[in-house]
Every structure is written in C-alpha cells, then in structure tokens.
Amino acid sequence: MDYVLIERDEEIAVIRLNRPEAKNALNLQVIAELGEAADIVARDPQVKGVIVTGGEGDFAAGGDIKEMATKYAPDMLTAYGADLSGFEKLERIPKPVIAAVSGYALGGGCELALVCDMIVASDTAVFGLPEITLGIIPGAGGTQRLPRLVGPNRAKEMIFTGSFYKAEEALAMGLVNKVVPVEKLMDEAKALLRKCTRHGAVALACAKASVNEGMNTDLYTGLAYERKCFSLLFSTEDQKEGMTAFVEKRKPQFKGR
Ligand code: HXC
C-alpha cells in the first residue's frame, strides 16, 4: 500500500496514514487502502486491538478536495459511494479500535476518527467538519455518527458553522475520550487499548457489536441483541476461566475462545 502503513507492537496493530504532503487527505486510493488494512487486521488472530493514526503530524485534513473538485453527482454516487465502505470495514473490525489524533482531523478525517471506538487526542489536535464552507455536507458519517456521539445540538453547531475545535473543546463536548501531550499520544493510546485487550477477545467483540448494534436500533431490539451475546458468551472457555479465577481469587488467563 502506498499511503497506509500497518505497524505491529505485540498484539496491537497500528494503521498509519502516510500522505503528509497533503495533510493525509483522503483520496480514493487512501480510502481503499484503509479498507484493505481493516480487512488485514480484522483477520489476523494475533492482532487484539487496533490504533488508527496519522502519527504526530496531522490525522487527516479530510476528503481530497483537489480530487473531488471537478466531480459530479454520478461520480460521487458510484466510485466514492462504493469506496466509503472502507470506513465501514474499519468500524466493523471485531476488536477495539482507537483513533490517536494529533493535528488536523477535519471533514472526512474527523469522520474517520468517528468510526473508531474511542478517540485519544493530543493537545495539538483540531477537529472540525468544514464541508459546509465548500458547499457540501459531511459525506462519510458526520451527520449520522457525530449526533449519536455528542447529541444533535452540538453536532449541528459543528456541521452548520464549519468551525474548528481544539482538543479540550472536543473533550468537553464528548467527542474525544482523552487529551494527552503530543509526545505521549501513541503511548497513551496503546495504554488505553491494552486495558481493553487484556480481556477476552470474544467478550470484547460481543461488547463492541452489542453497543454498535444497539446504537442503530430501538432499545428493545438492542436489549434482545445484548441478551443473545451475553448468553452466547457462556459457551466460551473465557467465561469459565473468568468466573473460576474470581472464585479462586486469582487473575484470569483469557485465551480468546
Ligand atoms: C486536498 C489538501 C487538503 C484536502 C490540505 N491539503 N487539505 N489537499 N484535500 N482536504 C493540501 C493543501 O492543498 C496543501 O497542498 C497541503 O495539503 C498543505 O496544506 P495547507 O493548506 O498549505 O496547510 P495549512 O495552511 O497549514 O492549512 C491546513 C488546513 C487546510 C487548515 C488543514 O489545508 C485546510 O483547510 N484543508 C481543507 C480542510 C477541509 O475543508 N476538509 C474537508 C474536505 S471535504 P499544496 O500542494 O498547496 O502544498 C470532506 C468530505 C468527506 O472531507 C468526503 C468523504 C471522505
């Protein structure tokens, strides 16, 4: 892949955007490569958790405006519409996924962070959905995932004004989980991820699916989904180990099965 790198740190896979000359702008190729990277880390049984990042530079300054500038609706409905499935592939990785954001996370970049399960921001991070200033609206989930996360009023403020928000403002509105010094960004993101990945992988996958399914449906459908996941986990070795370890007053050794 040209613009997306996959690095490994023990059980963590880091998906790193690498198009610094364009502030990691998301052209069709970058989005397709993100989808490929999502497939690779989702399938790899050694990978227990994932970080999506642009490193200490910028996260991503949005969809590639130069690539989109001359496009018409049919182009956007076909090539772009199909390619945005790369974002959905990332969202569906059945493992915890953290966005580690420094610098600009604008437009499609902000939307990329929103498909992750949690967002750790550095103190240099700047979030925004400036599409309205280009005569368009967010097209990769900004009008859908953002209001579910921060509520419709705050989402509308971001979307209608196109304003930029510093990391601390994003924290106050509930867009990010944590703000850390830029030089500690990756360490803090990995530390948070490891607090998750030390638990059983099947339970984590079920927890993620249950929250995500529940966010997209009514309460009672969500509760029924949760009950099925909850019950299914009683057929795993990890459930037996977790509860036996509690009774025996020791730490559990989860195997992810
Ligand atoms: C293409 C981009 C880009 C983008 C930056 N660049 N953002 N190219 N698409 N979204 C390029 C610039 O053209 C420039 O290239 C180089 O990156 C450095 O950017 P500068 O503007 O010179 O840097 P700076 O003055 O620091 O300003 C940074 C910035 C600004 C505030 C992030 O670049 C900016 O406003 N970018 C656009 C942000 C935006 O509107 N995003 C939403 C896009 S629409 P050259 O060749 O001149 O050096 C969208 C829809 C989602 O996201 C679609 C689905 C994915």
Side-chain angles (χ1 to χ4, degrees):
M1 290 188 271
D2 296 328
Y3 295 131
V4 174
L5 311 174
I6 303 177
E7 296 154 9
R8 280 291 297 276
D9 180 0
E10 298 174 342
E11 82 283 16
I12 293 175
V14 178
I15 297 177
R16 186 185 294 274
L17 288 164
N18 187 31
R19 200 188 172 206
E21 67 283 4
K23 297 201 171 285
N24 289 337
L26 304 159
N27 62 15
L28 278 179
Q29 186 180 343
V30 177
I31 299 170
E33 288 184 11
L34 279 170
E36 271 182 61
D39 282 340
I40 291 168
V41 301
R43 277 198 296 261
D44 186 339
Q46 307 297 323
V47 172
K48 307 290 184 214
V50 180
I51 291 176
V52 179
T53 191
E56 285 190 13
D58 293 293
F59 188 70
D64 190 322
I65 300 169
K66 291 168 191 163
E67 188 181 64
M68 288 185 289
T70 56
K71 298 284 189 274
Y72 283 91
D75 308 306
M76 301 313 286
L77 280 168
T78 52
Y80 270 84
D83 232 68
L84 285 174
S85 65
F87 277 44
E88 279 140 41
K89 284 183 179 180
L90 281 166
E91 189 168 45
R92 288 174 194 278
I93 295 171
K95 307 171 185 186
V97 179
I98 292 181
V101 177
S102 69
Y104 289 109
L106 303 176
C110 184
E111 292 168 306
L112 174 61
L114 286 169
V115 301
C116 300
D117 301 314
M118 289 167 261
I119 303 175
V120 176
S122 84
D123 45 16
T124 67
V126 176
F127 294 85
L129 291 174
E131 285 89 340
I132 204 83
T133 68
L134 299 167
I136 57 169
I137 64 168
T143 67
Q144 302 303 308
R145 293 190 182 94
L146 184 66
R148 283 167 169 79
L149 184 63
V150 303
N153 293 20
R154 291 193 179 102
K156 283 176 186 160
E157 182 187 319
M158 259 180 105
I159 295 164
F160 294 0
T161 67
S163 303
F164 290 179
Y165 297 80
K166 290 182 181 156
E168 288 296 342
E169 295 172 287
L171 181 68
M173 76 166 87
L175 172 54
V176 310
N177 294 69
K178 207 172 176 177
V179 179
V180 301
V182 67
E183 63 279 7
K184 292 194 176 156
L185 178 65
M186 291 307 287
D187 286 347
E188 292 279 352
K190 286 178 183 176
L192 177 58
L193 194 52
R194 288 201 164 98
K195 278 189 187 174
C196 308
T197 56
R198 66 187 173 177
H199 303 302
V202 187
L204 283 168
C206 284
K208 175 164 179 170
S210 198
V211 174
N212 285 359
E213 291 297 322
M215 292 302 291
N216 297 326
T217 189
D218 64 282
L219 177 63
Y220 283 92
T221 306
L223 286 170
Y225 189 88
E226 179 192 68
R227 188 134 327 132
K228 278 187 196 130
C229 289
F230 176 73
S231 304
L232 276 172
L233 286 166
F234 284 75
S235 64
T236 63
E237 289 177 27
D238 282 350
Q239 174 267 329
K240 297 289 172 290
E241 167 64 7
M243 293 194 176
T244 305
F246 175 82
V247 173
E248 293 176 354
K249 299 186 188 295
R250 60 172 174 82
K251 282 201 168 158
Q253 298 291 322
F254 292 122
K255 293 183 182 149
R257 27 177 217 268

